Amino acid sequence: MHGSGLGGWAAGAVLGMLVSLPLFFGEELGWQGYLFPRLAGDGGRRSLVRAYAVTGAAFALWHLPTLLMGGQYPGRPWYVSVPAMLVSCVLVLPVFTWLRLRSGSVVPAVIGHAFVSSMSVGMVKEFAEPTAALDPLHMGMTGWPGWIATGAFVAFLALTGRLRPSFHARPGTGELPAGHMDVPPGRTARSR
């Protein structure tokens, strides 16, 4: 850890994250506010799996221009960086969706997205030895250690039903709080 520079790094990282929030807000409005709810449809298991997979793939391919320029995985060829980004996005999307479902707002998903994109690799670099060879495929949320941690968390969310919009319905009503995923007309979240 670079002791004397940690406070300065943290302040700069938080400022950078705050400045980038509008970009992530636009993305999450698209993923969490539009695409995922439409693909989730009736909220059945098959619809939800499709919604998570397709939205995660769209999320990854959205980053294709920066991937091809070496942005997220510098020094890696496209045939390594594109599948790595696909794995990262498909794994993290359920976490962002859970944040949206739990809160009834896209804002926590935006903050989560900004943190993962802006700070996770930088944080690893800050705590690593100054001479360590750092490879994004071997560190942070977008590398295999992050995939394991995120996969375990997503498995917990899935096994406990927290990835289903109906899990977050108001007790006794079957209705989702304002701001949650759309429920088709004539149906309640519990009737899914």
Side-chain angles (χ1 to χ4, degrees):
M1 177 168 55
H2 312 216
S4 62
L6 183 60
W9 171 83
V14 169
L15 181 61
M17 192 174 110
L18 290 173
V19 169
S20 68
L21 280 177
L23 299 171
F24 298 113
F25 189 77
E27 275 192 65
E28 290 307 321
L29 276 180
W31 310 137
Q32 300 298 331
Y34 183 80
L35 184 59
F36 182 84
R38 271 129 192 100
L39 293 173
D42 64 2
R45 174 177 275 156
R46 181 176 269 171
S47 296
L48 287 174
V49 169
R50 181 185 67 234
Y52 282 117
V54 171
T55 306
F59 180 22
L61 293 176
W62 173 262
H63 296 91
L64 193 58
T66 56
L67 278 170
L68 295 177
M69 292 185 290
Q72 289 85 349
Y73 299 96
R76 295 289 184 167
W78 70 268
Y79 52 84
V80 172
S81 61
V82 172
M85 188 63 157
L86 184 62
V87 169
S88 294
C89 290
V90 168
L91 281 173
V92 81
L93 181 89
V95 176
F96 296 162
T97 302
W98 171 70
L99 289 170
R100 183 194 186 304
L101 288 169
R102 181 84 171 107
S103 68
S105 169
V106 298
V107 173
V110 171
I111 293 168
H113 189 161
F115 175 81
V116 169
S117 294
S118 302
M119 296 179 70
S120 69
V121 171
M123 187 181 305
V124 172
K125 289 178 181 177
E126 184 64 26
F127 287 94
E129 289 294 322
T131 58
L134 302 176
D135 181 348
L137 278 176
H138 299 287
M139 61 186 211
M141 295 297 295
T142 58
W144 67 264
W147 299 343
I148 293 170
T150 306
F153 185 59
V154 168
F156 165 76
L157 293 174
L159 291 171
T160 58
R162 288 172 169 83
L163 293 179
R164 298 181 63 87
S166 60
F167 180 86
H168 302 280
R170 288 185 287 194
T173 67
E175 295 177 8
L176 295 172
H180 274 71
M181 305 287 176
D182 296 332
V183 177
R187 300 188 72 179
T188 64
R190 294 276 185 224
S191 67
R192 293 177 171 192

